[in-house]
Every structure is written in structure tokens, then in C-alpha cells.
Amino acid sequence: MRKVFDDYRALSDEMLRSNEVRVPHFLDAMKKSLDRRSNWTFWLPYVLSLDVCMKCGTCAEVCPVYISSGRKEIYHPAVRSELIRKVYRRYFTWPGRLFPGLVGAEDLTEDKLDALAESIYRCTVCRRCAYVCPLAIDNGLIVREARKIFDAIGIAPDELKEKGTRKQLEMGNATGTPTAAFLDIIEFLEEEIEDQRGYKIKIPVDKKGAEYLVMHNAGDYLAFAETVMGAAEIFHAAGVDWTLNSPDTGINDAVNYGVFFSDIEFTEVLKAQIKTIVNLGVKTLVVGECGHAFEAFKYLMLRLIPPSERPFEVKSILELIDEWIREGRIKVDPEKNPEPVTYHDSCKLGRLGGLYEEPRRILKACCKDFREMEPNREMSYCCGGGSGFAIMTKGDFLKFRMETYGKIKAEQLKATGASIVALACSNCKGQFREIINYYKLPLRFAGISELVANALVR
């Protein structure tokens, strides 16, 4: 085994074999990433970010993994990006080809390739660094583009590809839940609502032509059922025409792990999701509490799918709940949530999605004691579950998540004195569940839909 980046592992040993020559394949894939005709997502900011960096260090002082690691150089955002830039200069610029030593260009070796592969899975692509960079250099974007290159040569985390996008396309969702099991879950949730609330509701499934199709993260049905139950209660209370869908109708999962590592995987999943939505004939897709799914449907879809092929509106469930509370369509009583509540800004919903005030208006309406976590909004620290990390645990990777990103969030939570941290993203919920257990924090997490449902006035 060749030397790798640090003591943790995001990638399997089989992907970092010492008997395979991969540098030429990597360079071929990188050449394609630099061609605007084949890189349809972020070609321009990508090449600009490769060409320019003042090495001022501004990015490092806001990077959660760099700060929490004790400022280890290997976690410095610009140092990580420089690993890519050295390859770029050496093989794709004429000064680097002629005078590599003068321009900071270096030959790519198999050892360096291994280190680079692991390095790009130490960054959650939260893009906090891009927000403060005086030149708008996007180190997170460089990381994502590097992940695409590695995927093109067969190097990607199993959790994101084989057990993620591949399973989702085959089974209809990333958890591999078949229709019969999905319908059993729905029946169970209906019974739970009746037991907890004292009244019956029917959760519609596969209803064609509904006003709203709600797509949750598939993991919510198994791990965060209170979120799914809460959403069902809210839609029922609002008296609107809505539905969930089962794998019988196609993809029934808002997840798209391709956002994290591959345009090819992203495109396949997105097109399958759109086909499902169009076949159901719904007017509005409501993205459940899932940050990266919101980015995929609300923004990335616009770059790939022409308007005529997506005849539906896209809204986050946060936007809809906020509208309904302000319009009086649903009524809530904050006295029903008397415990102190704080809120974590998901990177995808906040910095990348602009949803800052909607969740705060909702929580202030539904909770008696709302407290801000500092810093918040655009400067919120990533929890460490982003870019797929929340489901990556092999090679002591869970410890890495807890001892870096998790450490900062634990301190923030303690400072609020809150009993509940409200979360609007499934990956964040997975990460905070581990943070609370790892640091033995005296609080719990809750989805926003759960807190709203608890505050409903019927």
C-alpha cells in the first residue's frame, strides 16, 4: 500500500492499490474537465479558481476542518487546491511544461494521486471559504471537480456510488426499500400519528395530478420518521391536494448523491426523478428536509433540463410551511414547544440556497424560546455531514468527522443552552445524531416539520 493523506480513510483499500498505474487515466479525465464542451456545470469558475490564488490565507481562517484540526497544513483549503493546481500547471499550461520548477508545477506520481484522492474527501464542499475569498476563488468547487475526475477513473466512495446512486436507480431509492416495505412504513406512520395525536389521517401515495408531490430523503423513512410524520400532519392541516409516491411510479427519493462527486451520476438520477414527477402530473415538487436535494432541483436542474421538460414548480418544504403560517392556512401555538430551541443553517439550504429567514420565521412562530447559534446564516459552520460525509464511516472516518467538524458544532450547541437543535437537512440530522452521542450533549435534534406539527392548532 502506498502512503496516503492521513490516518483516516474515506476510500477503500481496493481503490488505492499499489499495482495499478492510474496517472495517465487521471490526466485524460482532467483534460476533459478543462473542456467547456464536456464540463457543463461549473467550467468557468473552475478554471478561474485554478488560475488565480493570492495565497492570502483568508480561506483557512474560516475553514472548520482546518481550524478544528489545530490548523494542520494538510487541511488548509488553499494547500488542498494547490495539489490540483500543481498538476494543472505541469500538464495543462505551457510554462509548466517548459519550466515546471519556476511556476510551482510538479509531476503527478501514484503516491501523490493517492494523497490527492483522500484529500478531496476531507472537505465537505461547504464553500464557506468561497464566501470570504477576496477574489471569489472557490476551493470547494475545485474539490468537487477533482472528485469528478477521480470518479471517471473508478475512484469514488462506495457509500455514494455503489450503495448510493447505483442502488437508487436500480431500486427507486438510495435505501433499497421496495414498494411493499414502503407501503408498510406509511401504514405504520399513520398508526403512530393516531397513537400520538389522537386522530387519524390518510397519507396519500401515488396520486396522479395532485397539486403537490412531496419527495423526502429516503433515509428519513427509516431513521427520521418524525420528519415524515410531521410533514404529513402539516399538509393534512393545510387541507391541500398532495401525495407521496412509491417505487412503483419510479424514483421516490429526493436524494441525488451525484451532486457530491459526479455529473454523470447526478444527471442519471435527476432525469429519472424528473420522469417520475412528470408521469405523476403534479404541479409542484416539494423537496423535503434535504439540503443537497434542494440544490439539485432548484438550481443545478436549470443548467441541464430545458423548461419544456420540467413542467412543474420546485419548492422547499420550508418555503411552503413559511407561506402557510404567514397566510394563516395553518395555525400554530409556540407554547406547545416550550423548550429552548436553536437552529443550524445547513450549507446547501443557507449559503447555497439562500433559505435563511424562512426557517427562522417558522421556528419563532412555533417555539416559545428560539436562540441563535453563533455564528449563523452565511457564516454558519458546516456540521461535517455534507458532501456525503454523513453516511461515510469506514476507516475510522466517523472519528475524523467528530474530532474536526463535530467538535466545533458541539461547542456551538453548548453555548446556546438549548434543549433542541432544529435541523432542516437529513445529512445534518445524521451528523448531529453522532455529535450528540459522541460528546454526550444534553439535548436532542428535531426536524422543523416535527416541531411545526407539534405546535399545530387543530
Side-chain angles (χ1 to χ4, degrees):
M1 173 64 67
R2 292 185 289 260
K3 293 180 180 179
V4 291
F5 184 67
D6 57 18
D7 294 332
Y8 305 104
R9 294 292 179 275
L11 301 164
S12 65
D13 289 344
E14 290 77 13
M15 290 182 182
L16 301 177
R17 294 191 298 268
S18 60
N19 60 348
E20 185 176 345
V21 177
R22 298 152 305 163
V23 167
H25 303 299
F26 180 91
L27 295 176
D28 286 343
M30 187 169 184
K31 182 179 180 180
K32 291 179 182 177
S33 80
L34 296 168
D35 185 344
R36 68 184 308 168
R37 293 167 298 181
S38 59
N39 191 348
W40 57 269
T41 41
F42 301 109
W43 174 82
L44 183 58
Y46 168 49
V47 295
L48 290 177
S49 294
L50 285 176
D51 275 325
V52 183
C53 179
M54 297 191 303
K55 298 182 175 63
C56 64
T58 303
C59 58
E61 293 310 310
V62 299
C63 175
V65 67
Y66 176 71
I67 294 170
S68 59
S69 72
R71 289 177 164 76
K72 290 182 181 178
E73 187 181 40
I74 57 173
Y75 297 133
H76 192 300
V79 170
R80 184 184 298 109
S81 295
E82 194 65 14
L83 296 174
I84 296 287
R85 288 195 182 97
K86 288 177 179 178
V87 178
Y88 168 68
R89 294 188 195 110
R90 176 65 182 86
Y91 299 96
F92 302 103
T93 68
W94 69 263
R97 293 190 187 100
L98 297 176
F99 313 106
L102 296 179
V103 296
E106 290 184 5
D107 289 342
L108 180 63
T109 66
E110 295 293 334
D111 283 348
K112 291 176 183 176
L113 188 144
D114 285 342
L116 177 57
E118 282 290 341
S119 177
I120 61 173
Y121 285 99
R122 299 298 183 271
C123 167
T124 57
V125 195
C126 77
R127 298 168 93 172
R128 199 170 189 254
C129 56
Y131 193 85
V132 302
C133 177
L135 297 179
I137 300 306
D138 196 335
N139 291 295
L141 177 57
I142 292 176
V143 164
R144 183 181 182 273
E145 293 300 313
R147 290 183 180 188
K148 286 165 50 178
I149 297 169
F150 274 104
D151 177 60
I153 65 170
I155 298 177
D158 299 333
E159 299 93 333
L160 300 185
K161 190 167 186 176
E162 296 306 322
K163 299 175 184 176
T165 54
R166 295 292 93 194
K167 180 186 284 187
Q168 185 177 9
L169 289 166
E170 178 186 352
M171 301 289 292
N173 51 68
T175 57
T177 303
T179 294
F182 175 78
L183 295 177
D184 284 344
I185 291 171
I186 298 302
E187 183 179 349
F188 170 77
L189 297 183
E190 290 173 340
E191 294 171 354
E192 282 293 296
I193 291 172
E194 183 178 4
D195 290 344
Q196 293 179 19
R197 306 295 189 190
Y199 69 92
K200 292 183 179 181
I201 70 169
K202 184 65 179 176
I203 299 177
V205 178
D206 294 340
K207 182 179 181 181
K208 290 195 172 185
E211 175 71 26
Y212 301 103
L213 168 64
V214 182
M215 268 195 180
H216 294 287
N217 183 308
D220 287 355
Y221 291 99
L222 303 179
F224 312 119
E226 294 82 2
T227 294
V228 180
M229 292 163 58
E233 290 185 71
I234 292 165
F235 276 78
H236 178 78
V240 295
D241 181 20
W242 74 289
T243 188
L244 301 176
N245 73 297
S246 73
D248 273 355
T249 57
I251 300 288
N252 74 323
D253 181 359
V255 160
N256 191 333
Y257 291 144
V259 170
F260 303 141
F261 76 102
S262 168
D263 285 348
I264 294 173
E265 299 293 314
F266 166 77
T267 300
E268 287 193 47
V269 171
L270 179 64
K271 287 185 175 180
Q273 290 168 326
I274 291 173
K275 181 179 179 182
T276 301
I277 298 163
V278 171
N279 287 344
L280 283 169
V282 298
K283 296 180 177 65
T284 302
L285 170 68
V286 180
V287 182
E289 296 185 14
C290 183
H292 81 270
F294 180 68
E295 180 192 21
F297 282 116
K298 192 74 171 183
Y299 300 111
L300 295 182
M301 181 174 70
L302 306 184
R303 294 174 174 266
L304 179 65
I305 309 297
S308 60
E309 296 179 19
R310 44 180 170 86
F312 53 87
E313 188 179 1
V314 176
K315 286 191 174 184
S316 164
I317 195 169
L318 300 182
E319 296 175 290
L320 212 52
I321 294 172
D322 178 46
E323 288 177 17
W324 289 346
I325 290 176
R326 288 188 287 126
E327 293 169 356
R329 179 178 282 273
I330 59 174
K331 299 184 185 302
V332 291
D333 178 5
E335 296 292 333
K336 292 188 174 185
N337 288 315
E339 297 175 276
V341 175
T342 190
Y343 174 66
H344 163 71
D345 286 283
S346 161
C347 301
K348 295 291 190 184
L349 294 172
R351 259 188 304 278
L352 297 175
L355 297 183
Y356 294 123
E357 302 313 317
E358 290 86 348
R360 285 172 169 80
R361 284 195 293 262
I362 293 169
L363 291 171
K364 288 175 182 177
C366 296
C367 303
K368 185 177 180 180
D369 182 359
F370 174 72
R371 305 177 180 185
E372 286 286 9
M373 194 184 303
E374 299 292 341
N376 55 62
R377 292 177 171 84
E378 66 275 2
M379 292 310 295
S380 172
Y381 283 110
C382 177
C383 67
S387 79
F389 281 18
I391 57 174
M392 294 167 60
T393 58
K394 66 171 173 287
D396 224 8
F397 202 71
L398 175 60
K399 182 180 179 183
F400 165 77
R401 285 163 39 198
M402 294 299 105
E403 295 291 340
T404 52
Y405 297 92
K407 185 192 303 181
I408 287 184
K409 296 311 295 189
E411 292 303 317
Q412 284 186 290
L413 289 174
K414 291 176 186 176
T416 66
S419 300
I420 299 172
V421 55
L423 304 169
C425 171
S426 189
N427 281 334
C428 293
K429 290 169 188 170
Q431 175 73 349
F432 272 89
R433 175 183 58 198
E434 302 296 346
I435 292 171
I436 290 168
N437 290 335
Y438 192 87
Y439 288 99
K440 297 180 172 56
L441 301 178
L443 76 165
R444 67 181 179 90
F445 67 87
I448 287 187
S449 297
E450 176 186 349
L451 294 171
V452 174
N454 196 54
L456 284 174
V457 175
R458 301 176 180 84

mmCIF file of all heavy atoms in Angstrom, residues 157-188:
data_model
loop_
_atom_site.group_PDB
_atom_site.id
_atom_site.type_symbol
_atom_site.label_atom_id
_atom_site.label_comp_id
_atom_site.label_asym_id
_atom_site.label_seq_id
_atom_site.Cartn_x
_atom_site.Cartn_y
_atom_site.Cartn_z
ATOM 1 N N PRO A 157 -16.246 6.935 -3.277
ATOM 2 C CA PRO A 157 -16.688 6.187 -2.092
ATOM 3 C C PRO A 157 -17.841 5.239 -2.412
ATOM 4 O O PRO A 157 -18.782 5.608 -3.125
ATOM 5 C CB PRO A 157 -17.143 7.294 -1.126
ATOM 6 C CG PRO A 157 -16.387 8.511 -1.558
ATOM 7 C CD PRO A 157 -16.285 8.398 -3.051
ATOM 8 N N ASP A 158 -17.760 4.029 -1.897
ATOM 9 C CA ASP A 158 -18.827 3.046 -2.113
ATOM 10 C C ASP A 158 -20.176 3.582 -1.658
ATOM 11 O O ASP A 158 -21.207 3.335 -2.290
ATOM 12 C CB ASP A 158 -18.522 1.756 -1.336
ATOM 13 C CG ASP A 158 -17.233 1.101 -1.781
ATOM 14 O OD1 ASP A 158 -16.846 1.300 -2.945
ATOM 15 O OD2 ASP A 158 -16.606 0.405 -0.959
ATOM 16 N N GLU A 159 -20.163 4.319 -0.527
ATOM 17 C CA GLU A 159 -21.423 4.796 0.041
ATOM 18 C C GLU A 159 -22.156 5.739 -0.906
ATOM 19 O O GLU A 159 -23.390 5.804 -0.897
ATOM 20 C CB GLU A 159 -21.165 5.529 1.365
ATOM 21 C CG GLU A 159 -20.531 4.660 2.437
ATOM 22 C CD GLU A 159 -19.019 4.737 2.444
ATOM 23 O OE1 GLU A 159 -18.424 5.028 1.369
ATOM 24 O OE2 GLU A 159 -18.413 4.508 3.507
ATOM 25 N N LEU A 160 -21.409 6.480 -1.709
ATOM 26 C CA LEU A 160 -22.033 7.450 -2.609
ATOM 27 C C LEU A 160 -22.415 6.851 -3.952
ATOM 28 O O LEU A 160 -23.418 7.253 -4.543
ATOM 29 C CB LEU A 160 -21.085 8.636 -2.839
ATOM 30 C CG LEU A 160 -20.667 9.430 -1.608
ATOM 31 C CD1 LEU A 160 -19.840 10.642 -2.025
ATOM 32 C CD2 LEU A 160 -21.869 9.867 -0.786
ATOM 33 N N LYS A 161 -21.642 5.888 -4.430
ATOM 34 C CA LYS A 161 -21.896 5.362 -5.770
ATOM 35 C C LYS A 161 -22.587 4.002 -5.758
ATOM 36 O O LYS A 161 -23.770 3.915 -6.060
ATOM 37 C CB LYS A 161 -20.588 5.291 -6.563
ATOM 38 C CG LYS A 161 -20.819 4.981 -8.049
ATOM 39 C CD LYS A 161 -19.585 5.217 -8.875
ATOM 40 C CE LYS A 161 -19.884 5.049 -10.358
ATOM 41 N NZ LYS A 161 -18.693 5.373 -11.192
ATOM 42 N N GLU A 162 -21.853 2.957 -5.406
ATOM 43 C CA GLU A 162 -22.431 1.614 -5.492
ATOM 44 C C GLU A 162 -23.633 1.455 -4.562
ATOM 45 O O GLU A 162 -24.640 0.850 -4.927
ATOM 46 C CB GLU A 162 -21.363 0.566 -5.168
ATOM 47 C CG GLU A 162 -20.216 0.536 -6.163
ATOM 48 C CD GLU A 162 -20.677 0.378 -7.598
ATOM 49 O OE1 GLU A 162 -21.651 -0.379 -7.830
ATOM 50 O OE2 GLU A 162 -20.083 1.018 -8.492
ATOM 51 N N LYS A 163 -23.515 1.992 -3.341
ATOM 52 C CA LYS A 163 -24.625 1.885 -2.385
ATOM 53 C C LYS A 163 -25.512 3.120 -2.419
ATOM 54 O O LYS A 163 -26.455 3.223 -1.626
ATOM 55 C CB LYS A 163 -24.063 1.696 -0.973
ATOM 56 C CG LYS A 163 -23.231 0.436 -0.819
ATOM 57 C CD LYS A 163 -22.591 0.362 0.558
ATOM 58 C CE LYS A 163 -21.680 -0.839 0.689
ATOM 59 N NZ LYS A 163 -20.974 -0.862 1.995
ATOM 60 N N GLY A 164 -25.213 4.055 -3.310
ATOM 61 C CA GLY A 164 -25.967 5.300 -3.405
ATOM 62 C C GLY A 164 -26.673 5.440 -4.733
ATOM 63 O O GLY A 164 -27.762 4.915 -4.929
ATOM 64 N N THR A 165 -26.043 6.117 -5.703
ATOM 65 C CA THR A 165 -26.713 6.395 -6.976
ATOM 66 C C THR A 165 -27.061 5.126 -7.741
ATOM 67 O O THR A 165 -28.123 5.038 -8.358
ATOM 68 C CB THR A 165 -25.833 7.296 -7.852
ATOM 69 O OG1 THR A 165 -24.530 6.707 -8.003
ATOM 70 C CG2 THR A 165 -25.673 8.672 -7.232
ATOM 71 N N ARG A 166 -26.157 4.147 -7.714
ATOM 72 C CA ARG A 166 -26.435 2.905 -8.456
ATOM 73 C C ARG A 166 -27.642 2.173 -7.865
ATOM 74 O O ARG A 166 -28.521 1.705 -8.593
ATOM 75 C CB ARG A 166 -25.213 1.995 -8.432
ATOM 76 C CG ARG A 166 -23.983 2.526 -9.141
ATOM 77 C CD ARG A 166 -24.180 2.609 -10.641
ATOM 78 N NE ARG A 166 -24.642 3.896 -11.105
ATOM 79 C CZ ARG A 166 -25.120 4.137 -12.305
ATOM 80 N NH1 ARG A 166 -25.243 3.162 -13.180
ATOM 81 N NH2 ARG A 166 -25.502 5.345 -12.667
ATOM 82 N N LYS A 167 -27.683 2.066 -6.548
ATOM 83 C CA LYS A 167 -28.819 1.411 -5.899
ATOM 84 C C LYS A 167 -30.102 2.204 -6.118
ATOM 85 O O LYS A 167 -31.172 1.635 -6.344
ATOM 86 C CB LYS A 167 -28.557 1.252 -4.405
ATOM 87 C CG LYS A 167 -29.717 0.580 -3.654
ATOM 88 C CD LYS A 167 -29.498 0.567 -2.163
ATOM 89 C CE LYS A 167 -28.495 -0.473 -1.764
ATOM 90 N NZ LYS A 167 -28.389 -0.614 -0.275
ATOM 91 N N GLN A 168 -30.013 3.520 -6.050
ATOM 92 C CA GLN A 168 -31.195 4.362 -6.231
ATOM 93 C C GLN A 168 -31.821 4.156 -7.604
ATOM 94 O O GLN A 168 -33.041 4.044 -7.734
ATOM 95 C CB GLN A 168 -30.805 5.827 -6.042
ATOM 96 C CG GLN A 168 -31.976 6.800 -6.078
ATOM 97 C CD GLN A 168 -31.535 8.219 -5.815
ATOM 98 O OE1 GLN A 168 -30.338 8.508 -5.759
ATOM 99 N NE2 GLN A 168 -32.476 9.120 -5.661
ATOM 100 N N LEU A 169 -30.993 4.108 -8.630
ATOM 101 C CA LEU A 169 -31.510 3.913 -9.984
ATOM 102 C C LEU A 169 -32.096 2.517 -10.170
ATOM 103 O O LEU A 169 -33.059 2.333 -10.910
ATOM 104 C CB LEU A 169 -30.396 4.163 -11.007
ATOM 105 C CG LEU A 169 -29.967 5.629 -11.152
ATOM 106 C CD1 LEU A 169 -28.653 5.731 -11.908
ATOM 107 C CD2 LEU A 169 -31.057 6.435 -11.848
ATOM 108 N N GLU A 170 -31.514 1.550 -9.486
ATOM 109 C CA GLU A 170 -31.992 0.168 -9.604
ATOM 110 C C GLU A 170 -33.256 -0.082 -8.791
ATOM 111 O O GLU A 170 -34.200 -0.732 -9.268
ATOM 112 C CB GLU A 170 -30.895 -0.791 -9.150
ATOM 113 C CG GLU A 170 -31.303 -2.254 -9.189
ATOM 114 C CD GLU A 170 -30.245 -3.180 -8.606
ATOM 115 O OE1 GLU A 170 -29.134 -2.702 -8.310
ATOM 116 O OE2 GLU A 170 -30.543 -4.376 -8.438
ATOM 117 N N MET A 171 -33.299 0.456 -7.560
ATOM 118 C CA MET A 171 -34.369 0.125 -6.626
ATOM 119 C C MET A 171 -35.432 1.220 -6.473
ATOM 120 O O MET A 171 -36.489 0.986 -5.895
ATOM 121 C CB MET A 171 -33.774 -0.170 -5.251
ATOM 122 C CG MET A 171 -32.773 -1.304 -5.226
ATOM 123 S SD MET A 171 -33.554 -2.903 -5.462
ATOM 124 C CE MET A 171 -34.495 -3.066 -3.940
ATOM 125 N N GLY A 172 -35.141 2.427 -6.957
ATOM 126 C CA GLY A 172 -36.100 3.511 -6.813
ATOM 127 C C GLY A 172 -35.795 4.449 -5.666
ATOM 128 O O GLY A 172 -36.401 5.509 -5.545
ATOM 129 N N ASN A 173 -34.854 4.052 -4.809
ATOM 130 C CA ASN A 173 -34.418 4.916 -3.709
ATOM 131 C C ASN A 173 -33.073 4.415 -3.191
ATOM 132 O O ASN A 173 -32.712 3.257 -3.401
ATOM 133 C CB ASN A 173 -35.453 4.973 -2.576
ATOM 134 C CG ASN A 173 -35.895 3.600 -2.119
ATOM 135 O OD1 ASN A 173 -35.121 2.844 -1.528
ATOM 136 N ND2 ASN A 173 -37.150 3.254 -2.401
ATOM 137 N N ALA A 174 -32.353 5.309 -2.525
ATOM 138 C CA ALA A 174 -30.984 5.004 -2.111
ATOM 139 C C ALA A 174 -30.909 4.015 -0.957
ATOM 140 O O ALA A 174 -29.830 3.493 -0.658
ATOM 141 C CB ALA A 174 -30.249 6.290 -1.739
ATOM 142 N N THR A 175 -32.026 3.753 -0.289
ATOM 143 C CA THR A 175 -32.028 2.774 0.797
ATOM 144 C C THR A 175 -32.420 1.377 0.313
ATOM 145 O O THR A 175 -32.374 0.424 1.087
ATOM 146 C CB THR A 175 -33.000 3.199 1.919
ATOM 147 O OG1 THR A 175 -34.310 3.373 1.371
ATOM 148 C CG2 THR A 175 -32.538 4.496 2.564
ATOM 149 N N GLY A 176 -32.831 1.270 -0.948
ATOM 150 C CA GLY A 176 -33.222 -0.024 -1.488
ATOM 151 C C GLY A 176 -34.530 -0.544 -0.941
ATOM 152 O O GLY A 176 -34.772 -1.754 -0.915
ATOM 153 N N THR A 177 -35.427 0.352 -0.511
ATOM 154 C CA THR A 177 -36.710 -0.050 0.063
ATOM 155 C C THR A 177 -37.714 -0.361 -1.045
ATOM 156 O O THR A 177 -38.075 0.528 -1.822
ATOM 157 C CB THR A 177 -37.274 1.071 0.951
ATOM 158 O OG1 THR A 177 -36.325 1.398 1.964
ATOM 159 C CG2 THR A 177 -38.589 0.647 1.594
ATOM 160 N N PRO A 178 -38.198 -1.599 -1.160
ATOM 161 C CA PRO A 178 -39.186 -1.934 -2.204
ATOM 162 C C PRO A 178 -40.562 -1.376 -1.863
ATOM 163 O O PRO A 178 -40.821 -0.951 -0.734
ATOM 164 C CB PRO A 178 -39.183 -3.464 -2.203
ATOM 165 C CG PRO A 178 -38.754 -3.842 -0.820
ATOM 166 C CD PRO A 178 -37.809 -2.771 -0.364
ATOM 167 N N THR A 179 -41.454 -1.404 -2.833
ATOM 168 C CA THR A 179 -42.777 -0.792 -2.665
ATOM 169 C C THR A 179 -43.546 -1.385 -1.491
ATOM 170 O O THR A 179 -44.151 -0.658 -0.699
ATOM 171 C CB THR A 179 -43.594 -0.940 -3.959
ATOM 172 O OG1 THR A 179 -42.964 -0.178 -4.991
ATOM 173 C CG2 THR A 179 -45.017 -0.432 -3.763
ATOM 174 N N ALA A 180 -43.549 -2.705 -1.368
ATOM 175 C CA ALA A 180 -44.321 -3.333 -0.288
ATOM 176 C C ALA A 180 -43.838 -2.846 1.077
ATOM 177 O O ALA A 180 -44.649 -2.516 1.959
ATOM 178 C CB ALA A 180 -44.206 -4.849 -0.381
ATOM 179 N N ALA A 181 -42.540 -2.774 1.243
ATOM 180 C CA ALA A 181 -41.982 -2.302 2.519
ATOM 181 C C ALA A 181 -42.282 -0.817 2.720
ATOM 182 O O ALA A 181 -42.572 -0.380 3.842
ATOM 183 C CB ALA A 181 -40.479 -2.552 2.560
ATOM 184 N N PHE A 182 -42.217 -0.051 1.637
ATOM 185 C CA PHE A 182 -42.522 1.381 1.729
ATOM 186 C C PHE A 182 -43.966 1.599 2.183
ATOM 187 O O PHE A 182 -44.238 2.415 3.070
ATOM 188 C CB PHE A 182 -42.288 2.055 0.370
ATOM 189 C CG PHE A 182 -42.681 3.499 0.328
ATOM 190 C CD1 PHE A 182 -41.858 4.473 0.873
ATOM 191 C CD2 PHE A 182 -43.883 3.891 -0.245
ATOM 192 C CE1 PHE A 182 -42.222 5.817 0.842
ATOM 193 C CE2 PHE A 182 -44.255 5.225 -0.286
ATOM 194 C CZ PHE A 182 -43.418 6.194 0.255
ATOM 195 N N LEU A 183 -44.902 0.851 1.611
ATOM 196 C CA LEU A 183 -46.306 0.997 1.994
ATOM 197 C C LEU A 183 -46.540 0.556 3.438
ATOM 198 O O LEU A 183 -47.377 1.129 4.144
ATOM 199 C CB LEU A 183 -47.189 0.200 1.038
ATOM 200 C CG LEU A 183 -47.192 0.697 -0.419
ATOM 201 C CD1 LEU A 183 -48.043 -0.216 -1.294
ATOM 202 C CD2 LEU A 183 -47.678 2.141 -0.510
ATOM 203 N N ASP A 184 -45.788 -0.452 3.888
ATOM 204 C CA ASP A 184 -45.871 -0.860 5.296
ATOM 205 C C ASP A 184 -45.405 0.278 6.210
ATOM 206 O O ASP A 184 -45.987 0.510 7.277
ATOM 207 C CB ASP A 184 -45.006 -2.096 5.542
ATOM 208 C CG ASP A 184 -45.640 -3.372 5.010
ATOM 209 O OD1 ASP A 184 -46.857 -3.352 4.730
ATOM 210 O OD2 ASP A 184 -44.908 -4.373 4.866
ATOM 211 N N ILE A 185 -44.355 0.975 5.788
ATOM 212 C CA ILE A 185 -43.853 2.107 6.572
ATOM 213 C C ILE A 185 -44.921 3.192 6.664
ATOM 214 O O ILE A 185 -45.164 3.750 7.743
ATOM 215 C CB ILE A 185 -42.557 2.666 5.947
ATOM 216 C CG1 ILE A 185 -41.411 1.666 6.105
ATOM 217 C CG2 ILE A 185 -42.183 4.010 6.579
ATOM 218 C CD1 ILE A 185 -40.159 2.034 5.337
ATOM 219 N N ILE A 186 -45.558 3.491 5.551
ATOM 220 C CA ILE A 186 -46.597 4.523 5.538
ATOM 221 C C ILE A 186 -47.741 4.151 6.476
ATOM 222 O O ILE A 186 -48.246 4.982 7.251
ATOM 223 C CB ILE A 186 -47.128 4.750 4.111
ATOM 224 C CG1 ILE A 186 -46.001 5.257 3.196
ATOM 225 C CG2 ILE A 186 -48.288 5.732 4.103
ATOM 226 C CD1 ILE A 186 -45.339 6.529 3.657
ATOM 227 N N GLU A 187 -48.158 2.891 6.433
ATOM 228 C CA GLU A 187 -49.232 2.429 7.321
ATOM 229 C C GLU A 187 -48.814 2.566 8.786
ATOM 230 O O GLU A 187 -49.613 2.997 9.635
ATOM 231 C CB GLU A 187 -49.585 0.978 6.991
ATOM 232 C CG GLU A 187 -50.745 0.433 7.811
ATOM 233 C CD GLU A 187 -51.093 -1.006 7.449
ATOM 234 O OE1 GLU A 187 -50.582 -1.511 6.423
ATOM 235 O OE2 GLU A 187 -51.879 -1.630 8.205
ATOM 236 N N PHE A 188 -47.568 2.214 9.062
ATOM 237 C CA PHE A 188 -47.060 2.340 10.425
ATOM 238 C C PHE A 188 -47.063 3.800 10.876
ATOM 239 O O PHE A 188 -47.435 4.105 12.019
ATOM 240 C CB PHE A 188 -45.639 1.766 10.503
ATOM 241 C CG PHE A 188 -44.932 2.046 11.793
ATOM 242 C CD1 PHE A 188 -45.236 1.324 12.941
ATOM 243 C CD2 PHE A 188 -43.968 3.040 11.878
ATOM 244 C CE1 PHE A 188 -44.593 1.586 14.138
ATOM 245 C CE2 PHE A 188 -43.313 3.315 13.074
ATOM 246 C CZ PHE A 188 -43.632 2.582 14.208
#
